[in-house]
Amino acid sequence: MPIPKATMKGMTTVPQVEILLVEDSPGDVRLTIEALADAKISNKISVASDGIEALRFLRQEGEFKDAARPGLILLDLNMPRMDGREFLEIIKNDDEYRNIPVVVLTTSQADSDILKSYNLRANCYITKPVDLDQFLVVVQSIQEFWLSIVKLPSSNAA
């Protein structure tokens, strides 16, 4: 159910957006989910621990056969089995998934990772702060921008 959000012209609604968090660190998963919950927006958040699991989620394979199509992907780069770079390259070259916005959220500050992510058509690149309070601010800023300001395609649009 959408949560009402006040605007200067009255009330409007913030649409529910399914979020796929692709992250191998249980601590970062917990912090990200808590930060989004603190923002008082109750979007459904699904978690994949690496690129292979994330692809299975998108393709609704195995235990993900009933998974909803995400409207936003939060992607770590450095993961086991299939890293975020490989995952990003696959989905941005697939007509069915290329229009899903991908926010790279990673610890890497390397210029080469930033450039490669944008060359692979990431929608934005954010370096995770080490400080807990700053991490919460960053995640809440992602929520505010991507879920409140930006107009995302319908989850039914492919």
Side-chain angles (χ1 to χ4, degrees):
M1 172 182 218
I3 307 292
K5 184 165 179 88
T7 65
M8 292 191 317
K9 294 182 179 181
M11 296 298 285
T12 186
T13 58
V14 175
Q16 286 294 314
V17 174
E18 172 87 19
I19 299 170
L20 176 59
L21 174 59
V22 187
E23 171 63 67
D24 65 322
S25 166
D28 285 354
V29 168
R30 182 180 50 78
L31 287 174
T32 303
I33 290 171
E34 286 177 12
L36 288 167
D38 285 349
K40 308 293 187 239
I41 303 293
S42 57
N43 294 66
K44 182 168 185 327
I45 303 167
S46 298
V47 178
S49 61
D50 60 41
I52 291 172
E53 193 171 292
L55 283 177
R56 292 183 66 237
F57 182 93
L58 288 175
R59 294 172 178 160
Q60 297 178 311
E61 296 173 349
E63 70 271 26
F64 304 113
K65 67 181 175 67
D66 296 321
R69 178 185 174 91
L72 179 66
I73 298 173
L74 303 179
L75 178 66
D76 186 24
L77 289 183
N78 301 310
M79 297 177 292
R81 297 194 314 159
M82 177 189 287
D83 71 15
R85 295 163 204 81
E86 295 170 276
F87 172 79
L88 188 58
E89 183 170 18
I90 290 168
I91 68 162
K92 290 300 185 175
N93 285 304
D94 187 315
D95 290 340
E96 189 167 345
Y97 308 116
R98 76 174 46 164
N99 68 347
I100 301 172
V102 177
V103 174
V104 173
L105 182 60
T106 186
T107 56
S108 175
Q109 296 182 37
D111 286 340
S112 59
D113 281 336
I114 296 167
L115 181 60
K116 181 163 185 146
S117 295
Y118 282 119
N119 283 340
L120 293 171
R121 297 186 291 254
N123 295 87
C124 72
Y125 190 102
I126 300 171
T127 303
K128 292 179 195 172
V130 177
D131 175 78
L132 174 61
D133 290 334
Q134 284 296 13
F135 182 79
L136 296 174
V137 168
V138 164
V139 172
Q140 289 174 349
S141 296
I142 292 169
Q143 176 277 322
E144 179 67 27
F145 182 74
W146 286 100
L147 304 178
S148 298
I149 296 173
V150 171
K151 179 73 174 154
L152 296 173
S154 163
S155 61
N156 297 329

